[in-house]
Amino acid sequence: MKRLAAAACIVAAACGHTEEKSDWEREHEKSLPPSENEVSLPAYPRDRDLIEFSAGPTRDFRYFIDGTSITVGSDGIVRYTLVARSAEGVENVSYEGMRCSTGELRVYALGGERVWRATPGAWRPMQPGSMQPWHRVLYREYFCRYREPVASPEQAIYALRGARR
C-alpha cells in the first residue's frame, strides 16, 4: 500500500502541478514582442494597383505601395508590397512588414522577374540613421502614426492617396 501511495504521489507531481509565475517572469513576458501571424505572400504587384508616395527629396527613384497588398494583422503588423523604381525603369520589389508598437521592420520576400522569392529576414529596429528615408515616411506618416497601426488597409490607402494631392 505504501508503494502505491508513493507511486501516486510521483505521478501527481509529474502531471501538472504548476507554480505561479514570479513578478519578474510576468514583467519579462510583457516585454516580449507579440507573436506574429502566419504570412502568405500576396499576388505580384501590377502597375494599375501602385500608389506613389513621396519619400522625401530624391531624383533617382520613385516609390510605390501596392494598394492590394496592404494588410493590417491582428498581430498589429502592417504588411505591404514596396516598389522602388529608378529613372531607367529598374525596379526593386519587396514584401515587408512594420510592427508599429516596437518600431521594427521585416522583409518577407523579394521580387524579381514578376516572381516572389521568399527571403524572410529577422525583425530589425527602425532607429534614426539605420532606416531608409522611405521606411521612415511609411512608418511615421502612413502606417504607424503614434506607434499605432492604421485601422484598416483602406485607411492606409486613403492616407497614401491623399498625400499625392
Side-chain angles (χ1 to χ4, degrees):
M1 188 70 158
K2 286 183 182 179
R3 283 187 181 165
L4 187 57
C9 287
I10 292 171
V11 169
C15 286
H17 175 68
T18 57
E19 299 217 6
E20 189 167 323
K21 294 180 182 176
S22 69
D23 290 341
W24 181 89
E25 288 171 314
R26 284 192 294 276
E27 282 302 311
H28 181 68
E29 285 176 349
K30 289 180 187 176
S31 68
L32 294 174
S35 61
E36 184 176 0
N37 295 345
E38 190 167 326
V39 175
S40 298
L41 297 177
Y44 204 81
R46 299 175 300 196
D47 281 344
R48 70 176 184 231
D49 298 323
L50 297 180
I51 304 167
E52 187 170 6
F53 69 97
S54 173
T58 178
R59 24 168 230 238
D60 298 331
F61 282 89
R62 293 171 60 201
Y63 297 91
F64 306 87
I65 296 294
D66 176 2
T68 65
S69 72
I70 300 171
T71 62
V72 183
S74 60
D75 53 7
I77 298 171
V78 179
R79 294 178 182 86
Y80 56 91
T81 298
L82 172 70
V83 177
R85 188 176 290 157
S86 74
E88 293 80 27
V90 176
E91 288 186 343
N92 292 318
V93 181
S94 55
Y95 185 62
E96 306 176 345
M98 286 188 178
R99 184 180 281 148
C100 297
S101 63
T102 59
E104 294 175 294
L105 174 73
R106 182 176 187 183
V107 175
Y108 297 102
L110 298 174
E113 300 176 12
R114 308 212 47 84
V115 176
W116 287 118
R117 287 184 302 268
T119 54
W123 285 101
R124 302 183 326 251
M126 293 190 299
Q127 299 170 342
S130 70
M131 68 173 149
Q132 300 296 340
W134 54 90
H135 287 133
R136 185 173 33 256
V137 168
L138 289 171
Y139 181 80
R140 290 183 180 164
E141 296 182 26
Y142 302 116
F143 296 157
C144 302
R145 296 192 92 188
Y146 310 109
R147 297 183 71 112
E148 290 291 326
V150 291
S152 66
E154 294 78 19
Q155 187 181 40
I157 291 167
Y158 179 81
L160 286 162
R161 287 196 173 132
R164 289 191 312 192
R165 296 183 182 116

